[in-house]
Amino acid sequence: YVDIFSVEITIPENFPKCFPTVVETGKKIPRTLKRHVLPETNNLCLAVHMEETLICQHGITLLWFMDNVLKPRLCEEFRVNNGMKYQREYSHDFGGTWEYLMKKLNLSKPELVLKFIEALALKKTPKGNRPCLCNCGLEYRLCHKKSMLELQQLGLKFINNIYKMLIAHPYTGVNL
C-alpha cells in the first residue's frame, strides 16, 4: 500500500536541538488530538517532550528526522486512515510521559517509574553492585543503570520538573 502526504516543514531557531514542526497540508489527517494533531496550530504531534529532548541533545539532521521520525509517523497515519489502530503513539497530556518512561525503563508499574525518577531527582541512584530499584534480583549496573544514565542527561532541573509532574498527574492508563 502506498499513500502520499503533503507536509509543510518549518525549521525552528533551535534546530538541530529540537524537531522541526510539521503540518500535514493535504488534510488527510483529521485535525483532532485523537489523531495527534494539535488543533490550535495543526502541527503533528511527533514525540513526548522528554523523548524529543533526549533524541536531539547532540543535534539531528533533517534527513535523520525525516527517516526516523516523520516517515514512521506518517506510516502510522496511513494505517489509521485504513481502519487499523496506532502501534507506536503515546497518549496526550501527561499520560504520554508516563508511557514513554514505562517503555524507556521497561517497567509496567507506574509506582516503579516514580521510584526511579525520584532516585534521579534526589541523586540517590544505587551504586553499580547494589540491587536494582525494580527488585528483580539483579545488580543495578546489569539492570536499569544504562536507561537511568540516559535519563540523567536531561539534567537535574528537568528531572525534578518531571518528578513533580508525575506526582501531580498520576498514571491513569492509555488514553489515545
Side-chain angles (χ1 to χ4, degrees):
Y1 296 100
V2 175
D3 201 349
I4 296 173
F5 289 90
S6 298
V7 296
E8 180 181 294
I9 299 172
T10 304
I11 307 295
E13 259 185 52
N14 49 345
F15 182 82
K17 299 287 187 173
C18 69
F19 290 166
T21 57
V22 179
V23 175
E24 188 271 321
T25 57
K27 299 197 177 171
K28 289 185 178 183
I29 305 171
R31 287 4 191 195
T32 66
L33 279 177
K34 278 192 176 264
R35 291 300 296 271
H36 300 277
V37 177
L38 303 174
E40 60 278 356
T41 61
N42 289 330
N43 290 346
L44 296 181
C45 182
L46 299 168
V48 173
H49 178 64
M50 178 184 289
E51 177 183 28
E52 179 180 342
T53 302
L54 281 171
I55 289 170
C56 297
Q57 66 185 343
H58 300 296
I60 61 170
T61 65
L62 186 56
L63 183 60
W64 183 93
F65 169 78
M66 291 176 74
D67 286 342
N68 295 283
V69 178
L70 186 55
K71 283 180 187 176
R73 171 72 170 78
L74 294 174
C75 286
E76 284 287 287
E77 289 304 329
F78 171 77
R79 289 176 42 75
V80 175
N81 282 348
N82 286 284
M84 295 176 247
K85 294 185 178 200
Y86 284 113
Q87 292 181 315
R88 299 186 239 170
E89 297 295 317
Y90 294 117
S91 296
H92 283 279
D93 299 322
F94 214 71
T97 300
W98 277 104
E99 293 160 15
Y100 172 73
L101 286 168
M102 284 193 257
K103 183 179 177 186
K104 181 83 175 153
L105 294 168
N106 195 25
L107 298 168
S108 58
K109 296 180 180 176
E111 59 272 13
L112 283 177
V113 170
L114 192 58
K115 185 177 180 180
F116 276 85
I117 300 304
E118 178 182 42
L120 282 174
L122 300 176
K123 294 184 177 182
K124 292 189 177 184
T125 54
K127 301 294 180 222
N129 301 6
R130 306 296 299 160
C132 189
L133 296 170
C134 70
N135 299 319
C136 70
L138 289 175
E139 294 176 0
Y140 176 69
R141 67 183 174 87
L142 300 173
C143 197
H144 281 94
K145 184 177 181 178
K146 181 180 177 191
S147 299
M148 293 288 277
L149 287 173
E150 288 175 19
L151 290 173
Q152 203 170 27
Q153 293 177 31
L154 293 166
L156 191 57
K157 183 178 179 181
F158 192 104
I159 293 293
N160 277 312
N161 287 336
I162 292 297
Y163 179 60
K164 289 174 190 171
M165 293 298 288
L166 292 174
I167 291 171
H169 303 280
Y171 183 63
T172 58
V174 176
N175 182 20
L176 294 175

